[in-house]
Amino acid sequence: MKERNKFCWQSFGTTPVIGIIRNLSSEIVEEVAPLCKKAGLATLEITMNTEDAPQIIQSLSMQYPDLNIGAGTVLEMDDLERALDAGASFIVTPVLNEEVITYCVRNDIPIFPGALTPTEIYKAWKWGASAVKVFPAIQLGAAYLKELRAPLSKIKLLPTGGVSFDNIESFFQAGAFGVGMGGALFNKSLLLKKDFEKLYLHFENVVSRIRSFGNTTEL
């Protein structure tokens, strides 16, 4: 197993967004990663159903030890093993898998499991989740997150799925600990055109918008 870089909670707290990289080629990721770092996006998730995901995780972990490079779409223990072998510093899942969660907790690996209902969210938290990924967040919106926060106020919630530049503030106002952003962050049209200058400006705008909300994340 490759030695993992230590997850930096302070970097995440400064810009509490997980940038979700899914189905991008390793060549494109090599272009995008330094732009993320320059813009202040410190936490990147490579989904395990992306082609060459372990190699991308390993490469980014080695090149950018000061970034949080993790693995997403971890469903089973074999996914987890491949992610950790590549050096992932945190793990994100779309579902509840107690074995995956407890292994990460036992080995001091930040784990953000996916859940939607109050019961699922509570289970994930009781099993030791670092924060619970509320997925898919857009289906029920920020109002749902606010309702969850009333009885589950001690649980750190990280809405993912449909979070965009336009609605991100509403999720933080509803009490989000952080958010996960995929397509809304890694703009497909800019990537297809390889317009990395505009993509960088887009990253900067997102970071600026998040930081304008103030210190929303309690670490």
PDB file of all heavy atoms in Angstrom, residues 36-59:
ATOM      1  N   CYS A  36      -6.787  23.853 -10.017  1.00  0.00           N
ATOM      2  CA  CYS A  36      -7.531  23.719  -8.759  1.00  0.00           C
ATOM      3  C   CYS A  36      -6.693  24.229  -7.600  1.00  0.00           C
ATOM      4  O   CYS A  36      -7.171  25.019  -6.763  1.00  0.00           O
ATOM      5  CB  CYS A  36      -7.914  22.265  -8.520  1.00  0.00           C
ATOM      6  SG  CYS A  36      -9.156  21.609  -9.648  1.00  0.00           S
ATOM      7  N   LYS A  37      -5.454  23.793  -7.560  1.00  0.00           N
ATOM      8  CA  LYS A  37      -4.558  24.206  -6.470  1.00  0.00           C
ATOM      9  C   LYS A  37      -4.386  25.722  -6.461  1.00  0.00           C
ATOM     10  O   LYS A  37      -4.481  26.366  -5.411  1.00  0.00           O
ATOM     11  CB  LYS A  37      -3.201  23.519  -6.620  1.00  0.00           C
ATOM     12  CG  LYS A  37      -2.204  23.928  -5.554  1.00  0.00           C
ATOM     13  CD  LYS A  37      -0.870  23.231  -5.722  1.00  0.00           C
ATOM     14  CE  LYS A  37       0.113  23.730  -4.672  1.00  0.00           C
ATOM     15  NZ  LYS A  37       1.437  23.092  -4.793  1.00  0.00           N
ATOM     16  N   LYS A  38      -4.137  26.302  -7.636  1.00  0.00           N
ATOM     17  CA  LYS A  38      -3.924  27.742  -7.742  1.00  0.00           C
ATOM     18  C   LYS A  38      -5.160  28.535  -7.307  1.00  0.00           C
ATOM     19  O   LYS A  38      -5.061  29.587  -6.674  1.00  0.00           O
ATOM     20  CB  LYS A  38      -3.550  28.104  -9.179  1.00  0.00           C
ATOM     21  CG  LYS A  38      -3.160  29.550  -9.388  1.00  0.00           C
ATOM     22  CD  LYS A  38      -2.764  29.802 -10.839  1.00  0.00           C
ATOM     23  CE  LYS A  38      -2.435  31.271 -11.070  1.00  0.00           C
ATOM     24  NZ  LYS A  38      -2.111  31.547 -12.493  1.00  0.00           N
ATOM     25  N   ALA A  39      -6.347  28.005  -7.625  1.00  0.00           N
ATOM     26  CA  ALA A  39      -7.600  28.691  -7.288  1.00  0.00           C
ATOM     27  C   ALA A  39      -7.982  28.523  -5.825  1.00  0.00           C
ATOM     28  O   ALA A  39      -8.824  29.271  -5.315  1.00  0.00           O
ATOM     29  CB  ALA A  39      -8.728  28.174  -8.173  1.00  0.00           C
ATOM     30  N   GLY A  40      -7.395  27.543  -5.141  1.00  0.00           N
ATOM     31  CA  GLY A  40      -7.712  27.320  -3.734  1.00  0.00           C
ATOM     32  C   GLY A  40      -8.635  26.154  -3.472  1.00  0.00           C
ATOM     33  O   GLY A  40      -9.173  26.014  -2.376  1.00  0.00           O
ATOM     34  N   LEU A  41      -8.820  25.304  -4.493  1.00  0.00           N
ATOM     35  CA  LEU A  41      -9.613  24.080  -4.313  1.00  0.00           C
ATOM     36  C   LEU A  41      -8.669  22.982  -3.829  1.00  0.00           C
ATOM     37  O   LEU A  41      -7.928  22.394  -4.606  1.00  0.00           O
ATOM     38  CB  LEU A  41     -10.279  23.679  -5.629  1.00  0.00           C
ATOM     39  CG  LEU A  41     -11.369  24.624  -6.133  1.00  0.00           C
ATOM     40  CD1 LEU A  41     -11.687  24.348  -7.597  1.00  0.00           C
ATOM     41  CD2 LEU A  41     -12.628  24.487  -5.291  1.00  0.00           C
ATOM     42  N   ALA A  42      -8.705  22.712  -2.538  1.00  0.00           N
ATOM     43  CA  ALA A  42      -7.692  21.850  -1.931  1.00  0.00           C
ATOM     44  C   ALA A  42      -8.085  20.385  -1.828  1.00  0.00           C
ATOM     45  O   ALA A  42      -7.259  19.547  -1.472  1.00  0.00           O
ATOM     46  CB  ALA A  42      -7.344  22.369  -0.540  1.00  0.00           C
ATOM     47  N   THR A  43      -9.354  20.062  -2.133  1.00  0.00           N
ATOM     48  CA  THR A  43      -9.853  18.699  -1.899  1.00  0.00           C
ATOM     49  C   THR A  43     -10.478  18.143  -3.164  1.00  0.00           C
ATOM     50  O   THR A  43     -11.511  18.638  -3.625  1.00  0.00           O
ATOM     51  CB  THR A  43     -10.873  18.696  -0.745  1.00  0.00           C
ATOM     52  OG1 THR A  43     -10.281  19.327   0.411  1.00  0.00           O
ATOM     53  CG2 THR A  43     -11.284  17.284  -0.380  1.00  0.00           C
ATOM     54  N   LEU A  44      -9.846  17.117  -3.733  1.00  0.00           N
ATOM     55  CA  LEU A  44     -10.298  16.530  -4.992  1.00  0.00           C
ATOM     56  C   LEU A  44     -10.591  15.053  -4.821  1.00  0.00           C
ATOM     57  O   LEU A  44      -9.797  14.308  -4.230  1.00  0.00           O
ATOM     58  CB  LEU A  44      -9.228  16.704  -6.081  1.00  0.00           C
ATOM     59  CG  LEU A  44      -8.811  18.144  -6.424  1.00  0.00           C
ATOM     60  CD1 LEU A  44      -7.701  18.133  -7.478  1.00  0.00           C
ATOM     61  CD2 LEU A  44     -10.005  18.951  -6.914  1.00  0.00           C
ATOM     62  N   GLU A  45     -11.731  14.649  -5.330  1.00  0.00           N
ATOM     63  CA  GLU A  45     -12.170  13.248  -5.292  1.00  0.00           C
ATOM     64  C   GLU A  45     -12.124  12.658  -6.702  1.00  0.00           C
ATOM     65  O   GLU A  45     -12.718  13.219  -7.620  1.00  0.00           O
ATOM     66  CB  GLU A  45     -13.601  13.170  -4.747  1.00  0.00           C
ATOM     67  CG  GLU A  45     -14.299  11.830  -4.939  1.00  0.00           C
ATOM     68  CD  GLU A  45     -15.798  11.926  -4.699  1.00  0.00           C
ATOM     69  OE1 GLU A  45     -16.246  12.830  -3.977  1.00  0.00           O
ATOM     70  OE2 GLU A  45     -16.535  11.077  -5.255  1.00  0.00           O
ATOM     71  N   ILE A  46     -11.429  11.550  -6.857  1.00  0.00           N
ATOM     72  CA  ILE A  46     -11.408  10.819  -8.128  1.00  0.00           C
ATOM     73  C   ILE A  46     -12.335   9.621  -7.965  1.00  0.00           C
ATOM     74  O   ILE A  46     -12.096   8.764  -7.109  1.00  0.00           O
ATOM     75  CB  ILE A  46      -9.997  10.327  -8.497  1.00  0.00           C
ATOM     76  CG1 ILE A  46      -8.941  11.418  -8.277  1.00  0.00           C
ATOM     77  CG2 ILE A  46      -9.983   9.801  -9.926  1.00  0.00           C
ATOM     78  CD1 ILE A  46      -9.160  12.675  -9.065  1.00  0.00           C
ATOM     79  N   THR A  47     -13.396   9.553  -8.747  1.00  0.00           N
ATOM     80  CA  THR A  47     -14.327   8.434  -8.592  1.00  0.00           C
ATOM     81  C   THR A  47     -13.699   7.149  -9.131  1.00  0.00           C
ATOM     82  O   THR A  47     -13.001   7.167 -10.147  1.00  0.00           O
ATOM     83  CB  THR A  47     -15.658   8.704  -9.311  1.00  0.00           C
ATOM     84  OG1 THR A  47     -15.452   8.747 -10.722  1.00  0.00           O
ATOM     85  CG2 THR A  47     -16.278  10.010  -8.835  1.00  0.00           C
ATOM     86  N   MET A  48     -13.967   6.057  -8.450  1.00  0.00           N
ATOM     87  CA  MET A  48     -13.340   4.785  -8.807  1.00  0.00           C
ATOM     88  C   MET A  48     -13.891   4.187 -10.096  1.00  0.00           C
ATOM     89  O   MET A  48     -13.328   3.220 -10.609  1.00  0.00           O
ATOM     90  CB  MET A  48     -13.473   3.791  -7.651  1.00  0.00           C
ATOM     91  CG  MET A  48     -12.634   4.169  -6.433  1.00  0.00           C
ATOM     92  SD  MET A  48     -10.864   4.309  -6.770  1.00  0.00           S
ATOM     93  CE  MET A  48     -10.437   2.563  -6.971  1.00  0.00           C
ATOM     94  N   ASN A  49     -14.989   4.748 -10.634  1.00  0.00           N
ATOM     95  CA  ASN A  49     -15.461   4.277 -11.935  1.00  0.00           C
ATOM     96  C   ASN A  49     -14.926   5.139 -13.074  1.00  0.00           C
ATOM     97  O   ASN A  49     -15.391   5.031 -14.207  1.00  0.00           O
ATOM     98  CB  ASN A  49     -16.995   4.197 -11.975  1.00  0.00           C
ATOM     99  CG  ASN A  49     -17.676   5.516 -11.666  1.00  0.00           C
ATOM    100  OD1 ASN A  49     -17.031   6.482 -11.276  1.00  0.00           O
ATOM    101  ND2 ASN A  49     -18.990   5.555 -11.848  1.00  0.00           N
ATOM    102  N   THR A  50     -13.952   5.978 -12.776  1.00  0.00           N
ATOM    103  CA  THR A  50     -13.214   6.713 -13.805  1.00  0.00           C
ATOM    104  C   THR A  50     -12.096   5.822 -14.321  1.00  0.00           C
ATOM    105  O   THR A  50     -11.428   5.132 -13.539  1.00  0.00           O
ATOM    106  CB  THR A  50     -12.621   8.012 -13.212  1.00  0.00           C
ATOM    107  OG1 THR A  50     -13.683   8.891 -12.860  1.00  0.00           O
ATOM    108  CG2 THR A  50     -11.692   8.705 -14.199  1.00  0.00           C
ATOM    109  N   GLU A  51     -11.885   5.821 -15.610  1.00  0.00           N
ATOM    110  CA  GLU A  51     -10.822   5.001 -16.189  1.00  0.00           C
ATOM    111  C   GLU A  51      -9.473   5.395 -15.582  1.00  0.00           C
ATOM    112  O   GLU A  51      -9.155   6.579 -15.459  1.00  0.00           O
ATOM    113  CB  GLU A  51     -10.777   5.184 -17.707  1.00  0.00           C
ATOM    114  CG  GLU A  51      -9.813   4.236 -18.403  1.00  0.00           C
ATOM    115  CD  GLU A  51      -9.867   4.338 -19.927  1.00  0.00           C
ATOM    116  OE1 GLU A  51     -10.737   5.078 -20.445  1.00  0.00           O
ATOM    117  OE2 GLU A  51      -9.049   3.685 -20.581  1.00  0.00           O
ATOM    118  N   ASP A  52      -8.703   4.383 -15.192  1.00  0.00           N
ATOM    119  CA  ASP A  52      -7.370   4.582 -14.602  1.00  0.00           C
ATOM    120  C   ASP A  52      -7.422   5.365 -13.282  1.00  0.00           C
ATOM    121  O   ASP A  52      -6.456   6.054 -12.924  1.00  0.00           O
ATOM    122  CB  ASP A  52      -6.432   5.305 -15.578  1.00  0.00           C
ATOM    123  CG  ASP A  52      -6.202   4.523 -16.865  1.00  0.00           C
ATOM    124  OD1 ASP A  52      -6.134   3.283 -16.801  1.00  0.00           O
ATOM    125  OD2 ASP A  52      -6.112   5.154 -17.935  1.00  0.00           O
ATOM    126  N   ALA A  53      -8.518   5.251 -12.548  1.00  0.00           N
ATOM    127  CA  ALA A  53      -8.660   5.997 -11.297  1.00  0.00           C
ATOM    128  C   ALA A  53      -7.495   5.780 -10.321  1.00  0.00           C
ATOM    129  O   ALA A  53      -6.951   6.764  -9.795  1.00  0.00           O
ATOM    130  CB  ALA A  53      -9.991   5.662 -10.626  1.00  0.00           C
ATOM    131  N   PRO A  54      -7.084   4.532 -10.039  1.00  0.00           N
ATOM    132  CA  PRO A  54      -5.970   4.358  -9.096  1.00  0.00           C
ATOM    133  C   PRO A  54      -4.692   5.057  -9.548  1.00  0.00           C
ATOM    134  O   PRO A  54      -3.992   5.667  -8.728  1.00  0.00           O
ATOM    135  CB  PRO A  54      -5.788   2.834  -9.043  1.00  0.00           C
ATOM    136  CG  PRO A  54      -7.119   2.283  -9.420  1.00  0.00           C
ATOM    137  CD  PRO A  54      -7.639   3.233 -10.457  1.00  0.00           C
ATOM    138  N   GLN A  55      -4.411   4.998 -10.853  1.00  0.00           N
ATOM    139  CA  GLN A  55      -3.201   5.644 -11.363  1.00  0.00           C
ATOM    140  C   GLN A  55      -3.294   7.160 -11.225  1.00  0.00           C
ATOM    141  O   GLN A  55      -2.307   7.833 -10.904  1.00  0.00           O
ATOM    142  CB  GLN A  55      -2.974   5.263 -12.831  1.00  0.00           C
ATOM    143  CG  GLN A  55      -2.576   3.813 -13.049  1.00  0.00           C
ATOM    144  CD  GLN A  55      -3.774   2.872 -13.157  1.00  0.00           C
ATOM    145  OE1 GLN A  55      -4.898   3.230 -12.799  1.00  0.00           O
ATOM    146  NE2 GLN A  55      -3.527   1.662 -13.627  1.00  0.00           N
ATOM    147  N   ILE A  56      -4.493   7.712 -11.469  1.00  0.00           N
ATOM    148  CA  ILE A  56      -4.691   9.163 -11.330  1.00  0.00           C
ATOM    149  C   ILE A  56      -4.502   9.577  -9.875  1.00  0.00           C
ATOM    150  O   ILE A  56      -3.836  10.568  -9.567  1.00  0.00           O
ATOM    151  CB  ILE A  56      -6.079   9.578 -11.842  1.00  0.00           C
ATOM    152  CG1 ILE A  56      -6.176   9.360 -13.362  1.00  0.00           C
ATOM    153  CG2 ILE A  56      -6.361  11.045 -11.506  1.00  0.00           C
ATOM    154  CD1 ILE A  56      -7.577   9.553 -13.924  1.00  0.00           C
ATOM    155  N   ILE A  57      -5.092   8.810  -8.950  1.00  0.00           N
ATOM    156  CA  ILE A  57      -4.962   9.100  -7.517  1.00  0.00           C
ATOM    157  C   ILE A  57      -3.492   9.072  -7.108  1.00  0.00           C
ATOM    158  O   ILE A  57      -2.998   9.973  -6.410  1.00  0.00           O
ATOM    159  CB  ILE A  57      -5.777   8.101  -6.674  1.00  0.00           C
ATOM    160  CG1 ILE A  57      -7.277   8.325  -6.900  1.00  0.00           C
ATOM    161  CG2 ILE A  57      -5.435   8.220  -5.186  1.00  0.00           C
ATOM    162  CD1 ILE A  57      -8.155   7.223  -6.347  1.00  0.00           C
ATOM    163  N   GLN A  58      -2.801   8.047  -7.549  1.00  0.00           N
ATOM    164  CA  GLN A  58      -1.384   7.912  -7.190  1.00  0.00           C
ATOM    165  C   GLN A  58      -0.555   9.068  -7.739  1.00  0.00           C
ATOM    166  O   GLN A  58       0.271   9.654  -7.032  1.00  0.00           O
ATOM    167  CB  GLN A  58      -0.832   6.582  -7.702  1.00  0.00           C
ATOM    168  CG  GLN A  58       0.615   6.337  -7.279  1.00  0.00           C
ATOM    169  CD  GLN A  58       1.074   4.925  -7.621  1.00  0.00           C
ATOM    170  OE1 GLN A  58       0.648   4.346  -8.607  1.00  0.00           O
ATOM    171  NE2 GLN A  58       1.941   4.374  -6.798  1.00  0.00           N
ATOM    172  N   SER A  59      -0.793   9.410  -8.996  1.00  0.00           N
ATOM    173  CA  SER A  59      -0.040  10.489  -9.626  1.00  0.00           C
ATOM    174  C   SER A  59      -0.286  11.828  -8.926  1.00  0.00           C
ATOM    175  O   SER A  59       0.670  12.562  -8.611  1.00  0.00           O
ATOM    176  CB  SER A  59      -0.427  10.587 -11.107  1.00  0.00           C
ATOM    177  OG  SER A  59       0.214  11.685 -11.716  1.00  0.00           O
TER     178      SER A  59
END
